[in-house]
Coordinates of all heavy atoms in Angstrom, one line a residue:
M1 N -66.6 124.5 180.0 CA -67.7 123.7 179.4 C -68.9 123.7 180.4 O -68.8 123.5 181.6 CB -67.3 122.3 179.2 CG -68.3 121.4 178.6 SD -67.6 119.9 178.0 CE -66.9 119.2 179.5
S2 N -70.1 124.0 179.9 CA -71.2 124.2 180.7 C -72.0 122.9 180.9 O -72.9 122.9 181.8 CB -72.1 125.3 180.2 OG -71.4 126.4 180.2
W3 N -71.9 121.9 180.0 CA -72.6 120.7 180.2 C -71.8 119.6 179.7 O -70.9 119.8 178.8 CB -74.1 120.8 179.5 CG -74.1 120.9 178.1 CD1 -74.0 122.1 177.4 CD2 -74.2 119.9 177.1 NE1 -74.0 121.8 176.1 CE2 -74.1 120.5 175.9 CE3 -74.3 118.5 177.2 CZ2 -74.2 119.7 174.7 CZ3 -74.5 117.8 176.0 CH2 -74.4 118.4 174.7
E4 N -72.2 118.4 180.0 CA -71.3 117.2 179.7 C -72.2 116.1 179.7 O -73.1 115.9 180.5 CB -70.3 117.0 181.0 CG -69.3 116.1 180.8 CD -68.2 116.4 181.9 OE1 -68.6 116.2 183.1 OE2 -67.1 116.7 181.6
K5 N -72.0 115.2 178.7 CA -72.8 113.9 178.6 C -71.9 112.8 178.7 O -70.9 112.6 178.1 CB -73.4 113.9 177.2 CG -74.5 112.8 177.0 CD -75.1 113.0 175.6 CE -76.2 112.0 175.5 NZ -77.0 112.2 174.2
D6 N -72.3 111.9 179.6 CA -71.6 110.6 179.7 C -72.7 109.5 180.1 O -73.8 109.7 180.0 CB -70.5 110.7 180.8 CG -71.0 111.1 182.2 OD1 -72.2 110.8 182.5 OD2 -70.2 111.5 183.0
E7 N -72.1 108.3 180.6 CA -73.1 107.2 180.8 C -74.0 107.5 182.0 O -75.1 106.8 182.1 CB -72.3 106.0 181.1 CG -71.4 105.8 182.2 CD -70.2 106.6 182.1 OE1 -69.8 107.1 181.0 OE2 -69.4 106.6 183.1
T8 N -73.8 108.5 182.9 CA -74.7 108.8 183.9 C -75.8 109.7 183.5 O -76.7 110.1 184.3 CB -74.0 109.3 185.1 OG1 -73.3 110.6 184.8 CG2 -72.9 108.4 185.6
G9 N -75.7 110.3 182.4 CA -76.7 111.2 181.9 C -76.1 112.5 181.4 O -74.8 112.6 181.1
I10 N -76.8 113.6 181.4 CA -76.3 114.9 181.1 C -76.1 115.7 182.3 O -77.1 115.8 183.1 CB -77.2 115.6 180.1 CG1 -77.2 114.8 178.7 CG2 -76.8 117.0 179.8 CD1 -78.2 115.3 177.7
T11 N -75.0 116.3 182.5 CA -74.8 117.2 183.7 C -74.6 118.6 183.2 O -73.8 118.9 182.4 CB -73.6 116.7 184.5 OG1 -73.7 115.3 184.8 CG2 -73.4 117.4 185.8
F12 N -75.4 119.5 183.9 CA -75.2 120.9 183.7 C -74.4 121.6 184.8 O -74.7 121.2 186.0 CB -76.6 121.6 183.6 CG -77.4 121.2 182.4 CD1 -78.4 120.2 182.5 CD2 -77.2 121.7 181.1 CE1 -79.2 119.8 181.5 CE2 -78.0 121.3 180.0 CZ -78.9 120.4 180.2
Y13 N -73.5 122.4 184.5 CA -72.8 123.1 185.6 C -73.1 124.6 185.5 O -73.1 125.2 184.5 CB -71.3 123.0 185.2 CG -70.8 121.6 185.2 CD1 -70.7 120.8 184.1 CD2 -70.4 120.9 186.4 CE1 -70.4 119.5 184.1 CE2 -69.9 119.6 186.4 CZ -70.0 118.9 185.3 OH -69.5 117.6 185.3
C14 N -73.4 125.2 186.6 CA -73.7 126.6 186.7 C -72.5 127.4 186.4 O -71.3 127.1 186.9 CB -74.1 126.9 188.2 SG -74.6 128.8 188.3
D15 N -72.6 128.4 185.5 CA -71.4 129.2 185.0 C -71.1 130.4 185.9 O -70.2 131.1 185.6 CB -71.7 129.6 183.6 CG -71.3 128.5 182.7 OD1 -70.2 127.9 182.8 OD2 -72.1 128.2 181.8
T16 N -71.9 130.6 187.0 CA -71.4 131.7 187.9 C -70.2 131.2 188.7 O -70.1 130.1 189.3 CB -72.5 131.9 189.0 OG1 -73.8 132.3 188.2 CG2 -72.1 133.0 190.0
P17 N -69.1 132.0 188.6 CA -67.9 131.7 189.3 C -68.3 131.4 190.9 O -69.1 132.2 191.4 CB -67.0 132.9 189.2 CG -67.6 133.6 188.1 CD -69.1 133.3 188.0
D18 N -67.7 130.5 191.5 CA -67.9 130.2 192.9 C -69.2 129.5 193.2 O -69.5 129.1 194.3 CB -67.9 131.5 193.8 CG -66.6 132.3 193.7 OD1 -65.6 131.6 193.4 OD2 -66.6 133.5 193.8
C19 N -70.1 129.3 192.2 CA -71.3 128.6 192.4 C -71.0 127.1 192.0 O -70.5 126.9 190.8 CB -72.5 129.1 191.7 SG -74.0 128.1 191.8
N20 N -71.3 126.2 192.8 CA -70.9 124.8 192.4 C -72.1 124.0 192.1 O -72.1 122.7 192.2 CB -70.1 124.2 193.6 CG -68.8 124.8 193.8 OD1 -68.1 125.2 192.9 ND2 -68.5 125.1 195.1
S21 N -73.3 124.6 191.8 CA -74.4 123.9 191.5 C -74.3 123.1 190.3 O -73.8 123.5 189.2 CB -75.6 124.8 191.2 OG -76.0 125.4 192.5
V22 N -74.7 121.8 190.3 CA -74.8 121.0 189.1 C -76.2 120.3 189.1 O -76.8 120.2 190.1 CB -73.7 119.9 189.1 CG1 -72.3 120.3 189.1 CG2 -73.9 119.0 190.4
L23 N -76.5 119.9 187.8 CA -77.8 119.3 187.7 C -77.6 118.1 186.8 O -77.0 118.2 185.6 CB -78.8 120.2 187.0 CG -80.1 119.6 186.6 CD1 -81.0 119.2 187.8 CD2 -80.9 120.6 185.7
T24 N -77.9 116.9 187.2 CA -77.7 115.7 186.3 C -79.1 115.1 185.9 O -79.9 115.0 186.8 CB -77.0 114.6 187.1 OG1 -75.7 115.2 187.5 CG2 -76.7 113.4 186.2
V25 N -79.2 115.1 184.7 CA -80.4 114.6 184.0 C -80.2 113.2 183.6 O -79.1 112.9 183.0 CB -80.8 115.4 182.8 CG1 -82.2 115.0 182.3 CG2 -80.9 116.8 183.2
P26 N -80.9 112.1 184.0 CA -80.7 110.7 183.6 C -80.6 110.5 182.1 O -81.1 111.3 181.4 CB -81.9 110.0 184.2 CG -82.5 110.9 185.2 CD -82.2 112.3 184.7
P27 N -79.8 109.5 181.8 CA -79.6 109.2 180.3 C -80.9 108.8 179.7 O -81.9 108.5 180.4 CB -78.6 108.1 180.3 CG -78.7 107.5 181.6 CD -79.1 108.5 182.6
G28 N -80.9 108.8 178.4 CA -82.1 108.2 177.7 C -82.9 109.3 176.9 O -83.7 109.0 176.1
T29 N -82.6 110.6 177.2 CA -83.2 111.6 176.4 C -82.1 112.4 175.7 O -81.0 112.4 176.1 CB -84.0 112.6 177.3 OG1 -83.4 112.7 178.5 CG2 -85.4 112.0 177.5
D30 N -82.6 113.1 174.6 CA -81.6 113.9 174.0 C -81.4 115.2 174.7 O -82.2 115.6 175.6 CB -82.0 114.1 172.5 CG -83.4 114.9 172.4 OD1 -83.4 116.1 172.5 OD2 -84.4 114.2 172.3
F31 N -80.5 116.0 174.2 CA -80.0 117.2 175.0 C -81.2 118.3 175.0 O -81.4 118.8 176.0 CB -78.8 117.8 174.3 CG -78.5 119.2 174.9 CD1 -77.8 119.1 176.1 CD2 -78.8 120.3 174.3 CE1 -77.4 120.4 176.7 CE2 -78.4 121.5 174.9 CZ -77.7 121.6 176.1
I32 N -81.9 118.4 173.9 CA -82.9 119.4 173.8 C -84.0 119.2 174.8 O -84.4 120.1 175.6 CB -83.4 119.5 172.4 CG1 -82.4 120.0 171.4 CG2 -84.6 120.5 172.3 CD1 -81.8 121.4 171.6
S33 N -84.5 118.0 174.9 CA -85.5 117.7 175.9 C -85.1 117.7 177.3 O -85.8 118.2 178.2 CB -86.3 116.4 175.5 OG -85.4 115.4 175.2
C34 N -83.8 117.4 177.5 CA -83.2 117.5 178.8 C -83.2 118.9 179.2 O -83.6 119.4 180.4 CB -81.8 117.0 178.8 SG -81.6 115.3 179.1
W35 N -82.8 119.8 178.3 CA -82.7 121.2 178.7 C -84.0 121.8 178.9 O -84.2 122.6 179.8 CB -81.8 121.9 177.6 CG -81.9 123.4 177.9 CD1 -82.5 124.3 177.1 CD2 -81.3 124.1 179.0 NE1 -82.3 125.6 177.8 CE2 -81.7 125.4 178.9 CE3 -80.6 123.6 180.2 CZ2 -81.3 126.3 179.9 CZ3 -80.3 124.5 181.1 CH2 -80.6 125.9 181.0
K36 N -84.9 121.5 178.0 CA -86.3 121.9 178.2 C -86.9 121.6 179.6 O -87.5 122.5 180.2 CB -87.3 121.4 177.1 CG -87.3 122.2 175.8 CD -88.4 121.6 174.9 CE -88.3 122.2 173.6 NZ -88.7 121.2 172.5
D37 N -86.6 120.4 180.0 CA -87.0 120.0 181.3 C -86.4 120.8 182.4 O -87.0 121.3 183.4 CB -86.8 118.5 181.5 CG -87.5 117.9 182.8 OD1 -88.6 118.2 183.0 OD2 -86.7 117.3 183.6
A38 N -85.1 120.9 182.4 CA -84.2 121.6 183.3 C -84.7 123.1 183.4 O -84.8 123.7 184.5 CB -82.8 121.6 182.9
N39 N -85.0 123.6 182.2 CA -85.4 125.0 182.2 C -86.8 125.2 182.7 O -87.1 126.0 183.6 CB -85.4 125.5 180.7 CG -85.8 126.9 180.5 OD1 -86.7 127.2 179.8 ND2 -85.1 127.8 181.1
A40 N -87.8 124.5 182.2 CA -89.3 124.7 182.5 C -89.5 124.2 183.9 O -90.3 124.9 184.7 CB -90.1 124.0 181.5
R41 N -89.0 123.1 184.3 CA -89.4 122.5 185.6 C -88.5 122.9 186.7 O -89.0 123.1 187.8 CB -89.4 120.9 185.4 CG -90.1 120.1 186.5 CD -90.4 118.7 186.1 NE -89.1 118.0 185.8 CZ -88.3 117.4 186.7 NH1 -88.6 117.6 187.9 NH2 -87.2 116.8 186.4
I42 N -87.1 123.0 186.5 CA -86.3 123.3 187.6 C -85.8 124.7 187.6 O -85.5 125.2 188.7 CB -85.1 122.3 187.5 CG1 -85.6 120.8 187.4 CG2 -84.2 122.4 188.7 CD1 -84.6 119.8 187.1
G43 N -85.9 125.3 186.5 CA -85.6 126.8 186.5 C -84.2 127.2 186.2 O -83.7 128.4 186.4
W44 N -83.5 126.3 185.6 CA -82.2 126.6 185.0 C -82.3 127.5 183.8 O -83.3 127.5 183.0 CB -81.4 125.4 184.6 CG -80.7 124.8 185.8 CD1 -81.3 124.1 186.9 CD2 -79.3 124.6 186.0 NE1 -80.4 123.7 187.7 CE2 -79.2 123.9 187.3 CE3 -78.1 125.0 185.3 CZ2 -77.9 123.6 187.8 CZ3 -76.9 124.6 185.9 CH2 -76.8 124.0 187.1
V45 N -81.4 128.5 183.6 CA -81.5 129.4 182.4 C -80.2 129.3 181.6 O -79.2 129.0 182.2 CB -81.8 130.9 182.8 CG1 -83.2 131.0 183.5 CG2 -80.8 131.4 183.8
S46 N -80.2 129.8 180.3 CA -79.0 129.9 179.6 C -79.0 131.2 178.8 O -80.1 131.8 178.4 CB -78.9 128.6 178.6 OG -80.0 128.7 177.8
F47 N -77.8 131.7 178.6 CA -77.6 132.9 177.8 C -76.5 132.7 176.9 O -75.5 132.1 177.1 CB -77.3 134.1 178.7 CG -78.5 134.4 179.7 CD1 -78.4 134.1 181.0 CD2 -79.6 135.0 179.2 CE1 -79.4 134.3 181.9 CE2 -80.7 135.3 180.1 CZ -80.6 135.0 181.5
K48 N -76.6 133.5 175.7 CA -75.6 133.4 174.7 C -75.1 134.8 174.4 O -75.8 135.7 174.3 CB -76.3 132.9 173.4 CG -75.4 132.8 172.2 CD -74.7 131.4 172.2 CE -73.9 131.2 170.9 NZ -72.7 131.9 170.8
R49 N -73.7 134.8 174.5 CA -73.1 136.0 174.0 C -72.4 135.8 172.7 O -71.8 134.7 172.5 CB -72.0 136.5 175.1 CG -72.7 136.9 176.4 CD -71.7 137.4 177.4 NE -72.5 137.7 178.7 CZ -71.8 138.3 179.7 NH1 -70.5 138.7 179.6 NH2 -72.6 138.6 180.8
A50 N -72.3 136.9 171.9 CA -71.7 136.7 170.6 C -70.3 136.2 170.7 O -69.5 136.6 171.5 CB -71.7 138.1 169.9
G51 N -70.0 135.2 169.9 CA -68.6 134.6 169.9 C -68.3 133.7 171.0 O -67.1 133.4 171.2
R52 N -69.3 133.4 171.9 CA -69.0 132.5 173.0 C -70.0 131.4 173.0 O -71.1 131.6 172.6 CB -69.1 133.4 174.3 CG -67.9 134.4 174.4 CD -67.9 135.0 175.8 NE -68.2 134.0 176.8 CZ -68.3 134.3 178.1 NH1 -68.4 135.6 178.5 NH2 -68.5 133.3 179.0
P53 N -69.6 130.3 173.7 CA -70.6 129.2 173.9 C -71.7 129.7 174.8 O -71.6 130.7 175.5 CB -69.8 128.1 174.5 CG -68.6 128.7 175.1 CD -68.3 130.0 174.3
W54 N -72.8 128.9 174.9 CA -73.8 129.2 175.8 C -73.3 129.0 177.2 O -72.5 128.2 177.6 CB -75.0 128.1 175.6 CG -75.8 128.4 174.3 CD1 -75.5 128.1 173.1 CD2 -77.0 129.2 174.3 NE1 -76.5 128.5 172.3 CE2 -77.4 129.2 173.0 CE3 -77.8 129.9 175.3 CZ2 -78.5 129.8 172.6 CZ3 -78.9 130.6 174.8 CH2 -79.3 130.5 173.5
D55 N -73.9 130.0 178.0 CA -73.7 129.9 179.5 C -74.9 129.3 180.2 O -76.0 129.7 179.8 CB -73.3 131.3 180.1 CG -71.9 131.7 179.8 OD1 -71.0 130.9 179.7 OD2 -71.7 132.9 179.7
Y56 N -74.8 128.5 181.2 CA -75.9 127.9 181.9 C -75.8 128.4 183.4 O -74.7 128.5 184.0 CB -75.8 126.4 181.8 CG -76.0 126.0 180.4 CD1 -75.0 125.8 179.5 CD2 -77.3 125.6 180.0 CE1 -75.2 125.4 178.2 CE2 -77.5 125.3 178.7 CZ -76.5 125.1 177.8 OH -76.6 124.7 176.5
F57 N -77.0 128.7 184.0 CA -77.1 129.1 185.3 C -78.2 128.4 186.1 O -79.2 128.1 185.6 CB -77.3 130.6 185.4 CG -76.3 131.5 184.7 CD1 -76.4 131.8 183.4 CD2 -75.1 131.7 185.4 CE1 -75.4 132.5 182.8 CE2 -74.1 132.5 184.8 CZ -74.2 132.9 183.4
C58 N -77.8 128.0 187.3 CA -78.8 127.3 188.1 C -79.9 128.4 188.6 O -79.8 129.5 188.4 CB -78.1 126.8 189.4 SG -77.5 128.0 190.6
P59 N -81.0 127.8 189.2 CA -82.1 128.7 189.6 C -81.7 129.8 190.6 O -82.3 130.9 190.5 CB -83.1 127.7 190.2 CG -82.8 126.4 189.6 CD -81.4 126.4 189.4
R60 N -80.8 129.5 191.4 CA -80.3 130.4 192.4 C -79.6 131.6 191.8 O -79.7 132.8 192.3 CB -79.4 129.7 193.4 CG -79.3 130.3 194.8 CD -79.0 129.3 195.8 NE -77.9 128.4 195.4 CZ -76.6 128.8 195.6 NH1 -76.2 129.8 196.1 NH2 -75.6 127.9 195.2
C61 N -78.9 131.4 190.7 CA -78.2 132.4 190.0 C -79.0 133.0 188.8 O -78.4 134.0 188.2 CB -76.8 131.9 189.5 SG -75.8 131.2 190.8
A62 N -80.1 132.5 188.5 CA -80.8 132.8 187.3 C -81.1 134.4 187.2 O -80.9 135.0 186.2 CB -82.1 132.1 187.1
A63 N -81.6 135.0 188.4 CA -82.0 136.4 188.3 C -80.8 137.3 188.1 O -80.8 138.2 187.2 CB -82.7 136.8 189.6
D64 N -79.7 137.0 188.8 CA -78.4 137.8 188.7 C -77.9 137.6 187.2 O -77.4 138.6 186.7 CB -77.3 137.3 189.7 CG -77.6 137.8 191.0 OD1 -78.5 138.7 191.1 OD2 -77.0 137.4 192.0
A65 N -77.9 136.4 186.7 CA -77.4 136.2 185.4 C -78.2 136.9 184.3 O -77.6 137.5 183.4 CB -77.4 134.7 185.1
A66 N -79.5 136.9 184.5 CA -80.4 137.7 183.6 C -80.1 139.2 183.6 O -80.0 139.8 182.5 CB -81.9 137.5 184.0
T67 N -79.9 139.8 184.9 CA -79.4 141.1 184.9 C -78.2 141.4 184.2 O -78.0 142.4 183.5 CB -79.4 141.5 186.4 OG1 -80.7 141.2 187.0 CG2 -79.1 143.0 186.6
A68 N -77.2 140.5 184.5 CA -75.8 140.7 183.8 C -76.0 140.6 182.4 O -75.3 141.4 181.6 CB -74.9 139.7 184.4
H69 N -76.8 139.7 181.9 CA -76.9 139.6 180.5 C -77.6 140.8 179.8 O -77.1 141.3 178.8 CB -77.7 138.3 180.1 CG -77.7 137.9 178.7 ND1 -76.5 137.4 178.1 CD2 -78.6 137.9 177.7 CE1 -76.7 137.2 176.8 NE2 -77.9 137.5 176.5
R70 N -78.6 141.3 180.5 CA -79.2 142.5 180.0 C -78.2 143.7 179.9 O -78.2 144.4 178.9 CB -80.4 143.0 180.9 CG -81.7 142.5 180.4 CD -82.9 143.3 181.0 NE -82.8 143.3 182.5 CZ -83.3 142.3 183.3 NH1 -83.9 141.4 182.8 NH2 -83.1 142.5 184.6
E71 N -77.4 143.8 180.9 CA -76.4 144.9 181.0 C -75.4 144.7 179.8 O -75.0 145.7 179.2 CB -75.7 144.8 182.3 CG -74.7 145.9 182.5 CD -75.3 147.3 182.4 OE1 -76.5 147.5 182.5 OE2 -74.4 148.2 182.3
Y72 N -75.0 143.4 179.6 CA -74.1 143.1 178.5 C -74.7 143.5 177.2 O -74.0 144.2 176.4 CB -73.8 141.6 178.5 CG -73.0 141.1 177.4 CD1 -71.6 141.3 177.3 CD2 -73.7 140.6 176.3 CE1 -70.9 140.9 176.2 CE2 -73.0 140.2 175.2 CZ -71.6 140.3 175.1 OH -70.9 139.9 174.0
N73 N -75.9 143.1 176.9 CA -76.6 143.5 175.7 C -76.7 145.0 175.5 O -76.4 145.5 174.4 CB -78.0 142.9 175.6 CG -77.9 141.4 175.2 OD1 -76.9 141.0 174.7 ND2 -79.0 140.7 175.6
R74 N -76.9 145.7 176.6 CA -77.0 147.1 176.5 C -75.8 147.7 176.1 O -75.6 148.6 175.2 CB -77.5 147.7 177.9 CG -78.2 149.1 177.8 CD -78.5 149.6 179.2 NE -77.3 149.6 180.0 CZ -76.3 150.5 180.0 NH1 -76.5 151.5 179.0 NH2 -75.3 150.5 180.8
Q75 N -74.6 147.3 176.7 CA -73.3 147.8 176.4 C -72.9 147.4 175.0 O -72.3 148.2 174.3 CB -72.2 147.2 177.4 CG -72.4 147.8 178.8 CD -71.5 147.2 179.8 OE1 -70.8 146.2 179.5 NE2 -71.6 147.5 181.0
E76 N -73.3 146.2 174.6 CA -73.0 145.8 173.2 C -73.7 146.7 172.2 O -73.1 147.1 171.2 CB -73.5 144.3 173.1 CG -73.0 143.6 171.8 CD -71.6 143.4 171.8 OE1 -70.8 143.7 172.7 OE2 -71.1 142.8 170.8
Q77 N -75.0 147.0 172.4 CA -75.7 147.9 171.5 C -75.0 149.3 171.5 O -74.9 149.9 170.4 CB -77.1 148.1 172.0 CG -78.0 146.9 171.5 CD -79.4 146.9 172.2 OE1 -79.7 147.8 172.9 NE2 -80.0 145.7 172.1
E78 N -74.5 149.7 172.6 CA -73.9 151.0 172.7 C -72.6 151.0 171.9 O -72.4 151.9 171.2 CB -73.6 151.3 174.2 CG -72.9 152.6 174.4 CD -73.9 153.8 174.2 OE1 -75.0 153.6 173.9 OE2 -73.3 155.0 174.1
R79 N -71.8 149.9 172.0 CA -70.6 149.8 171.2 C -70.9 149.8 169.7 O -70.2 150.4 168.9 CB -69.9 148.5 171.6 CG -69.0 148.6 172.8 CD -68.0 147.4 173.0 NE -68.8 146.2 173.2 CZ -69.0 145.8 174.4 NH1 -68.7 146.5 175.5 NH2 -69.7 144.7 174.7
E80 N -72.0 149.1 169.4 CA -72.4 149.0 167.9 C -72.8 150.4 167.4 O -72.5 150.7 166.3 CB -73.6 148.0 167.7 CG -73.2 146.5 167.8 CD -72.1 146.2 166.9 OE1 -72.1 146.6 165.7 OE2 -71.1 145.4 167.3
R81 N -73.5 151.1 168.3 CA -74.0 152.4 167.9 C -72.8 153.3 167.7 O -72.7 154.1 166.7 CB -74.9 152.9 169.1 CG -75.9 154.0 168.7 CD -76.8 154.4 169.8 NE -76.0 154.8 171.0 CZ -75.4 156.1 171.1 NH1 -75.7 157.0 170.1 NH2 -74.7 156.4 172.2
I82 N -71.8 153.3 168.6 CA -70.6 154.1 168.4 C -69.8 153.7 167.2 O -69.4 154.6 166.5 CB -69.8 154.1 169.7 CG1 -70.5 154.7 170.9 CG2 -68.4 154.6 169.5 CD1 -69.8 154.4 172.2
K83 N -69.7 152.4 167.0 CA -69.0 151.9 165.8 C -69.7 152.5 164.5 O -69.0 153.0 163.6 CB -69.0 150.5 165.7 CG -67.6 149.9 166.0 CD -67.6 148.3 165.6 CE -68.0 147.5 166.9 NZ -68.1 146.0 166.6
A84 N -71.0 152.3 164.5 CA -71.8 152.8 163.2 C -71.5 154.3 163.1 O -71.4 154.7 161.9 CB -73.3 152.4 163.4
R85 N -71.6 155.1 164.1 CA -71.5 156.5 164.0 C -70.0 156.9 163.5 O -69.9 157.8 162.7 CB -71.8 157.1 165.4 CG -72.0 158.6 165.3 CD -72.4 159.1 166.6 NE -71.3 158.8 167.6 CZ -71.5 158.8 169.0 NH1 -72.7 159.0 169.5 NH2 -70.5 158.5 169.8
N86 N -69.1 156.1 164.0 CA -67.7 156.4 163.7 C -67.4 156.0 162.2 O -66.3 156.3 161.7 CB -66.7 155.7 164.5 CG -66.8 156.4 165.9 OD1 -67.3 157.5 166.1 ND2 -66.1 155.8 166.9
S87 N -68.2 155.2 161.6 CA -67.9 154.7 160.3 C -68.3 155.7 159.2 O -68.0 155.4 158.0 CB -68.5 153.3 160.0 OG -69.9 153.5 159.9
Y88 N -69.0 156.8 159.6 CA -69.3 157.8 158.6 C -68.3 158.7 158.3 O -67.5 159.0 159.1 CB -70.6 158.6 159.0 CG -71.9 157.7 159.0 CD1 -72.5 157.5 160.2 CD2 -72.4 157.2 157.8 CE1 -73.7 156.7 160.2 CE2 -73.4 156.4 157.8 CZ -74.1 156.2 159.0 OH -75.3 155.4 159.0
Ligands
ZN101 ZN1 -75.5 129.0 190.4

């Protein structure tokens, strides 16, 4: 689970293994505006892979996570291309 809501607010957990970064946003706002703030002001990022929940990454891991996500998408397109070719 990448984020959690309780009486102290909303807490985001970085999904990079071995990274223990957390970000707690005080209560009183809804998830979308909390996330917008975390993203725009603090630099957290999120990525979605097909069939999986969203992953969240702290600013320190954002660049690596973006690279990994691009690579994942590239491989995914390659798999789709091969699948499409093999279906003829
Ligand atoms: Zn991190």
Side-chain angles (χ1 to χ4, degrees):
M1 185 171 55
S2 294
W3 64 277
E4 188 167 66
K5 188 174 187 176
D6 61 23
E7 67 280 355
T8 63
I10 295 176
T11 306
F12 294 97
Y13 299 91
C14 180
D15 279 309
T16 300
D18 305 328
C19 177
N20 297 317
S21 286
V22 294
L23 170 70
T24 303
V25 185
T29 35
D30 61 85
F31 177 78
I32 296 296
S33 45
C34 278
W35 172 246
K36 272 190 191 145
D37 188 51
N39 179 239
R41 196 165 56 82
I42 309 173
W44 281 63
V45 296
S46 61
F47 297 106
K48 178 88 171 74
R49 294 184 181 187
R52 290 188 44 186
W54 284 86
D55 284 329
Y56 293 86
F57 298 96
C58 71
R60 206 152 46 85
C61 301
D64 284 350
T67 304
H69 192 69
R70 264 199 307 277
E71 180 63 15
Y72 170 83
N73 280 340
R74 203 185 55 74
Q75 288 172 3
E76 189 71 358
Q77 279 165 14
E78 182 67 11
R79 277 193 291 274
E80 288 301 319
R81 204 175 57 78
I82 291 168
K83 247 192 274 176
R85 199 176 53 203
N86 288 349
S87 70
Y88 290 117

